[in-house]
Structures are given as C-alpha cells and as structure tokens.
Amino acid sequence: DAMQSAIRIGRRLFNKNHPDYFGMQVLNTILGGYFGSRLMSNIREDKGYTYGIGSGVASLLHDGFFYISTEVGVDVTAATLTEIYKEIEILQQTKVGDDELNLVKNYLLGTFLRSVDGPFAMSEKFTSIKDYGLTNEFYKAYVNYIKQAKAEDLTLLAQKYLSKNDLSELVVGKI
C-alpha cells in the first residue's frame, strides 16, 4: 500500500585523485547537481512527478560513487525512471549548449567561492588536500577546469561513465 517509491540509481566511481573527477563534477551539475539541472527541470518542473530530484558525485578516501536520488508517487515511478534514463541518453548523444554550459560554469565557480569563505571553510579544503594526498594546486586546477570545460568532453564522460548497463537501480515502493 505504498504511496511513494524511493528511487536510487548509481554506480561505483572514483575519488578526487582521478583525472575525470573535475569533468564529472561539471557533468553531474548539468544532470542533477543544482536546482536548475536537467533532472529537476524535467521531472519536477515539467512533469510534476516529485518535489525534488538530484544527483551527486561522492568522493571517499579510496573510492567514490555517482548517484541519482528522488521520491515519487507510485503512479509515476515507471515514468520517472524513463525520464531519468532519457536525460542521461541526451547527455550521451547531444552536446551541451553554450548557454547551459556557461550557466553551470558560473554556478560552480560561485559555489566554490562560497565553499572557501572563512577560516573554517579554508581549513576543510586544506584537510581534504592532505587526506587525499593532493597537491596545493588541486583547487586551482579545479577552477581552471571549470573555466575551460568543453561540451565535447562532457559528452564523452557521459558515454564513458553513465552507461545504463553500468548503473544499478533500486526502487523501494512500487513500479
């Protein structure tokens, strides 16, 4: 008699030490990493299936993972899954437009600036560098990557890491 279904889709990935980490941060933001993302625009704003949907790239000390997360009414569970995979396929087949890419770049740069505001925030960044064995140039490289990110590279990352065959899907509720 479930009224809602909880949907989680994801896969094992990599951590901050991987060369594709920065690109996956940009790609993830476009897909579901902020309120203006494709998943949010389609599944919340256009379809009204959920109050919120998002995705993320989590970096653990020795590993990492990518995930998509939402809760929807049981009557739209199957349709939501279809729309999620549709958005992933679009990223794999069609270059991100310049306007959308520039918007996401500005969003990520602003988010990064907020994340280094104040001594405690800065200490967290330095701790992360130490914990992951990164150089002091890590965050400079991140900012540079964001500024120079190319749509073609994001398409290749979507093809490489978001293949439906590599994603695990869990639905708790009804499909």
Side-chain angles (χ1 to χ4, degrees), residues 112-130 136 139:
F112 177 74
L113 282 175
R114 278 192 309 278
S115 78
V116 295
D117 184 24
F120 294 111
M122 288 297 294
S123 72
E124 285 182 31
K125 295 296 184 197
F126 289 121
T127 299
S128 181
I129 287 173
K130 179 185 171 294
N136 288 336
Y139 291 110

Side-chain angles (χ1 to χ4, degrees), residues 4 28 65 82 111 115 136-138 146 154 163 167:
Q4 284 192 313
N28 171 69
F65 59 94
T82 298
T111 300
S115 78
N136 288 336
E137 298 297 310
F138 177 79
I146 292 170
L154 299 176
S163 169
L167 297 172

Side-chain angles (χ1 to χ4, degrees), residues 80-150:
T80 300
L81 290 166
T82 298
E83 293 300 318
I84 289 170
Y85 291 117
K86 181 181 100 176
E87 291 299 338
I88 290 171
E89 285 179 24
I90 292 169
L91 283 171
Q92 292 169 329
Q93 298 170 1
T94 307
K95 236 175 47 167
V96 174
D98 290 340
D99 289 344
E100 182 180 21
L101 183 55
N102 287 330
L103 178 68
V104 167
K105 286 179 179 185
N106 288 330
Y107 170 80
L108 284 169
L109 292 170
T111 300
F112 177 74
L113 282 175
R114 278 192 309 278
S115 78
V116 295
D117 184 24
F120 294 111
M122 288 297 294
S123 72
E124 285 182 31
K125 295 296 184 197
F126 289 121
T127 299
S128 181
I129 287 173
K130 179 185 171 294
D131 288 347
Y132 287 93
L134 302 167
T135 70
N136 288 336
E137 298 297 310
F138 177 79
Y139 291 110
K140 182 179 180 181
Y142 176 60
V143 167
N144 287 336
Y145 181 91
I146 292 170
K147 289 178 180 179
Q148 298 171 12
K150 294 180 177 58

